[in-house]
Amino acid sequence: MGKIIILDENTANKIAAGEVIEKPASVVKELVENSLDAGADNISIDIRNGGISYIKITDNGSGIDEDDVEIAFERHATSKIRTAEDLASISSMGFRGEALASIAAVSSIQLVTRVKAKPHGIMAEIKGGSVLNVMPAGCPVGTAITIRDLFYNTPARFKFLKKDSTEAGSITEIISRIALGNPHVSFKLTCNGAVVLHTPGNSDQLSAVFSIYGKETAKESYQVSYEDNRIKISGLVGKPEIARSNRNYQSVFINRRFVKSKVIASAVDEAFTTFLMKNKYAFFILNIELNPVLIDVNVHPSKMEVKFSNELDIFRAVYHAVGNALMTQSEIRTVLTGSPKENLFRMNEKKQEKIEYRQQGLSFSKTAGGSGEFPIIRESIQKSEKYMETEKHNETVEYTTGPGNKNVEEKQDRRLLADARIIGQAFSTYIILQQDDELVLIDQHAAHERIMYEELKKSRESRIPTSQMLLSAIVLELTNQEIKFLEEHAGFFGSIGYSYDSFGVNSILLRSVPFKEHDGDIKGIFLDVLDYVMNTGRIDRNFNIDETLYTIACKSAVKANRKLDETEIRSLAQCLSEMDNPYTCPHGRPSAIRFKKSDLEKMFKRIV
Ligand code: ADP
Ligand code: MG
């Protein structure tokens, strides 16, 4: 006798529930997305015990028609698509018709809903997948759905639930992300009777950031604005000062949907290279709008991953968008005084130690802007190709970004570096400048490193590298392997300004070097570069030339603990002011820090 049977619907739903609903946060996500799809602009979420015993979502959306109430809880029941063809142009959050059926299979549900056209609503009770009760109810237009005793009939799943506070943390996180991506909707999250998050829903993303991450984070961000013929990007990137050691503060929304994307995170990382130190990750919120045809939404809903049909285009666009925001809005860092204010999220964090949201803050510049091409863009194609490791991309991408002028504050900072009065040098390491009511400290090594790096880069890009003939060539003794490598790659070393000839069996004669004047030892720098290049093993399209240039810049820049005279100081500050990015060394450390007179006065308690 055959052994195969078709599972009954209830069992099938329980199994499906395991895929869609992993934990209370996935229930909340699905239900809130339903509210958004129903056009709600006011959604409140009330949870108890991390959502395990109680979740209530109330929205002011379209409501569910009486005739649809029972069918909504069936599997593959959806009002959002009709046929597979509709998938290509999907703009709703849901479309699988699985969530309500899955949630219903593993909990007790009470649904109260009303559509505008009807004078009264409907109340339905469903437990373990079976509809127990449907009756008329007096209620406002919209939907309120209450989930009790999640996983009561799936003990294996129940066992895997984490502590209430951890589950509540996951819910807070998912609501935060959804709220950031939907600033036109007011979200209110209440955990065990305490409001943990409340956004205004005034369509301003900065206000949502303010409510979720606090005032200082909102202040310490640059606006992003970018558009080409295929993609539109808006949002915020945090100044380097508020960068974190993890990626929890990075949110990407594609057509309003919160997604995780390595391509986008890498593009932002690339744009932040030389602005941020290693192992620091920028805070950002990017809203990406693109034709739904270009993305595959049919990846599993709980994974939040996204697939693009052309990753390289997305990479480039994000790189330009963020790079432009940084290049046009960066300024000299301001020293931090006082402690940042508490915000709701931090208060919540104390109660739920698992949530890692925190905030810091310094000064505020709320100016948007953008310019067309800037020098860093020249390298972006090379970088994106390196990242993607794809074949050469022949299409040209046209990009247009915001208004054409550099941010006026930023311009003043450059002028400050160039024109400020030189007060002197402290510890033979920091240059002190003063202008108006500001004091600026420049780290002479970091600043010179930045100058050397940009000069080397430009010189290399010019294809006629500037190099300095040594008055007397230097003899270097090397191994056979090293000499062979140098012979093979003379072209590459030439492109960064080195020239040499073989000299005897085990030596070369170093004739010219990439830097005009230098502080370090020529031989040591050359050996460092050789070591670095040899260690990476190959010089090809994917070779990181920047790292080589960093090495040269770092080794040849003026060191700390070196006394500089006034002419040297003036020339350093002047050169720095002309850099593409004067404000950090190539490794992302600040090259200059400002103290406002008022900050000093606060420190000395002249003012409070
Ligand atoms: P999907 O969202 O994939 O369509 P769900 O199982 O989440 O599937 O929901 C089934 C259907 O129930 C939806 O297509 C929608 O018509 C309706 N629905 C669910 N929640 C709401 C809500 N909050 N407001 C209005 N309609 C809703
Ligand atoms: Mg849904």
Side-chain angles (χ1 to χ4, degrees):
M1 201 177 111
K3 296 177 196 154
I4 300 175
I5 57 154
I6 304 275
L7 294 175
D8 68 71
E9 199 185 317
N10 218 333
T11 313
N13 281 346
K14 263 197 192 176
I15 294 169
E19 286 163 22
V20 183
I21 313 293
E22 291 170 351
K23 52 182 184 180
S26 19
V27 175
V28 170
K29 172 181 176 281
E30 291 294 335
L31 296 179
V32 167
E33 288 187 348
N34 278 347
S35 300
L36 291 172
D37 284 346
D41 62 12
N42 206 320
I43 302 175
S44 63
I45 306 103
D46 191 359
I47 60 161
R48 288 180 213 152
N49 305 103
I52 300 164
S53 65
Y54 181 91
I55 297 171
K56 182 175 184 186
I57 315 267
T58 311
D59 71 49
N60 65 348
S62 64
I64 306 176
D65 193 86
E66 197 171 342
D67 297 339
D68 285 340
V69 165
E70 288 193 47
I71 194 178
F73 290 90
E74 305 256 332
R75 225 164 130 215
H76 308 306
T78 180
S79 58
K80 299 167 195 175
I81 54 170
R82 286 280 172 262
T83 64
E85 281 77 65
D86 296 340
L87 275 178
S89 56
I90 192 95
S91 62
S92 58
M93 302 284 154
F95 58 84
R96 295 162 170 267
E98 269 177 337
L100 288 189
S102 300
I103 298 166
V106 294
S107 68
S108 298
I109 297 187
Q110 188 200 58
L111 173 82
V112 179
T113 185
R114 191 190 129 196
V115 294
K116 206 172 162 193
K118 297 274 167 69
H120 64 83
I122 289 289
M123 196 272 281
E125 284 175 330
I126 301 104
K127 184 163 183 171
S130 315
V131 180
L132 304 180
N133 220 340
V134 181
M135 61 174 78
C139 59
V141 174
T143 303
I145 183 162
T146 312
I147 316 293
R148 287 193 171 84
D149 305 326
L150 195 60
F151 304 129
Y152 79 98
N153 56 355
T154 48
R157 173 82 33 186
F158 190 83
K159 235 175 36 200
F160 277 101
L161 289 172
K162 306 228 170 68
K163 276 195 311 197
D164 288 5
S165 60
T166 310
E167 298 294 354
S170 307
I171 292 174
T172 313
E173 163 151 12
I174 195 75
I175 295 297
S176 310
R177 309 279 191 176
I178 296 176
L180 288 170
N182 293 276
H184 61 294
V185 179
S186 169
F187 291 86
K188 184 173 172 187
L189 171 64
T190 313
C191 294
N192 298 330
V195 177
V196 276
L197 182 153
H198 196 172
T199 63
N202 61 356
S203 298
D204 174 23
Q205 201 167 35
L206 208 59
S207 305
V209 169
F210 185 106
S211 324
I212 291 164
Y213 297 122
K215 180 177 155 197
E216 299 301 329
T217 303
K219 280 182 175 176
E220 294 304 301
S221 297
Y222 301 129
Q223 303 272 353
V224 176
S225 147
Y226 173 98
E227 193 169 355
D228 66 31
N229 45 10
R230 275 174 273 199
I231 184 169
K232 191 171 167 191
I233 304 174
S234 63
L236 299 164
V237 287
K239 295 182 186 175
E241 290 93 310
I242 60 165
R244 304 296 310 242
S245 309
N246 62 51
R247 291 192 182 275
N248 292 351
Y249 290 72
Q250 306 191 331
S251 305
V252 178
F253 302 92
I254 309 244
N255 298 342
R256 290 243 156 92
R257 181 192 294 269
F258 173 65
V259 296
K260 294 196 168 155
S261 161
K262 284 200 182 121
V263 177
I264 291 171
S266 306
V268 177
D269 286 352
E270 273 304 332
F272 264 93
T273 331
T274 91
F275 281 85
L276 269 189
M277 297 186 20
K278 275 217 167 92
N279 301 323
K280 283 282 181 192
Y281 302 99
F283 157 76
F284 66 76
I285 294 169
L286 292 179
N287 316 298
I288 300 182
E289 282 170 52
L290 76 174
N291 190 330
V293 173
L294 300 173
I295 35 176
D296 179 7
V297 288
N298 209 5
V299 278
H300 199 274
S302 62
K303 295 214 175 77
M304 297 183 216
E305 272 150 21
V306 67
K307 278 192 210 149
F308 301 106
S309 60
N310 194 342
E311 294 197 321
L312 191 54
D313 282 350
I314 304 285
F315 182 97
R316 286 175 171 167
V318 171
Y319 179 85
H320 291 312
V322 174
N324 218 341
L326 286 172
M327 291 305 246
T328 54
Q329 295 171 71
S330 301
E331 336 138 286
I332 300 176
R333 282 188 198 189
T334 305
V335 72
L336 172 67
T337 52
S339 55
K341 269 200 174 146
E342 297 275 10
N343 66 64
L344 282 174
F345 220 67
R346 290 196 74 169
M347 278 151 57
N348 178 44
E349 177 189 31
K350 283 186 193 145
K351 284 189 225 132
Q352 296 162 15
E353 72 287 5
K354 286 277 170 188
I355 312 172
E356 275 196 8
Y357 288 79
R358 237 173 243 108
Q359 45 138 16
Q360 288 182 15
L362 306 166
S363 73
F364 185 39
S365 127
K366 198 189 171 205
T367 31
S371 71
E373 173 131 354
F374 52 88
I376 203 167
I377 282 181
R378 274 182 249 134
E379 265 198 285
S380 71
I381 306 295
Q382 179 197 339
K383 287 188 170 182
S384 49
E385 279 177 351
K386 192 182 79 205
Y387 166 76
M388 302 298 301
E389 294 203 64
T390 55
E391 287 307 302
K392 245 198 155 36
H393 190 79
N394 292 322
E395 286 172 69
T396 47
V397 180
E398 282 181 20
Y399 41 81
T400 56
T401 36
N405 280 324
K406 282 206 179 268
N407 163 330
V408 176
E409 264 182 273
E410 207 266 335
K411 263 191 186 160
Q412 276 170 352
D413 277 0
R414 284 170 188 270
R415 214 173 304 137
L416 189 156
L417 290 174
D419 302 342
R421 185 156 75 87
I422 297 169
I423 305 284
Q425 193 193 17
F427 315 118
S428 302
T429 301
Y430 304 105
I431 292 164
I432 310 174
L433 305 178
Q434 182 198 325
Q435 195 178 53
D436 301 329
D437 52 2
E438 288 183 330
L439 215 54
V440 171
L441 295 193
I442 298 176
D443 177 325
Q444 66 195 38
H445 175 70
H448 197 213
E449 222 182 330
R450 162 59 63 181
I451 296 165
M452 297 292 289
Y453 166 68
E454 287 197 16
E455 281 180 358
L456 286 165
K457 206 167 84 165
K458 279 184 189 136
S459 151
R460 203 191 113 79
E461 282 164 2
S462 72
R463 300 198 182 272
I464 316 155
T466 39
S467 68
Q468 181 79 1
M469 269 311 234
L470 294 170
L471 282 178
S472 48
I474 297 176
V475 181
L476 286 169
E477 288 194 358
L478 301 167
T479 64
N480 270 341
Q481 207 192 349
E482 286 166 334
I483 290 180
K484 230 177 122 215
F485 188 87
L486 285 172
E487 280 169 0
E488 262 172 40
H489 298 291
F492 168 76
F493 284 93
S495 79
I496 54 174
Y498 281 112
S499 69
Y500 42 79
D501 294 315
S502 26
F503 183 70
V505 192
N506 279 326
S507 315
I508 60 153
L509 262 187
L510 188 60
R511 294 204 179 276
S512 63
V513 294
F515 24 87
K516 285 183 222 121
E517 72 268 358
H518 58 89
D519 213 38
D521 89 277
I522 293 173
K523 202 167 150 181
I525 297 168
F526 182 74
L527 291 178
D528 279 345
V529 172
L530 177 61
D531 285 348
Y532 172 74
V533 178
M534 278 188 82
N535 279 340
T536 61
R538 56 182 199 184
I539 297 175
D540 59 18
R541 193 155 66 78
N542 298 319
F543 177 72
N544 191 347
I545 289 152
D546 269 348
E547 288 285 342
T548 315
L549 302 186
Y550 295 164
T551 309
I552 304 174
C554 178
K555 302 278 169 171
S556 48
V558 61
K559 300 279 178 298
N561 294 313
R562 217 202 85 176
K563 233 180 151 17
L564 301 179
D565 63 31
E566 192 161 334
T567 324
E568 288 172 311
I569 292 178
R570 174 58 68 215
S571 135
L572 192 87
Q574 173 75 45
C575 284
L576 186 64
S577 76
E578 288 161 10
M579 293 297 111
D580 290 337
N581 167 22
Y583 311 116
T584 60
C585 84
H587 302 100
R589 286 197 298 113
S591 53
I593 290 182
R594 68 151 46 92
F595 291 75
K596 293 215 167 80
K597 189 176 170 206
S598 58
D599 292 330
L600 295 176
E601 282 172 334
K602 271 185 218 155
M603 288 183 213
F604 286 104
K605 309 285 180 212
R606 283 171 169 271
I607 54 170
V608 274

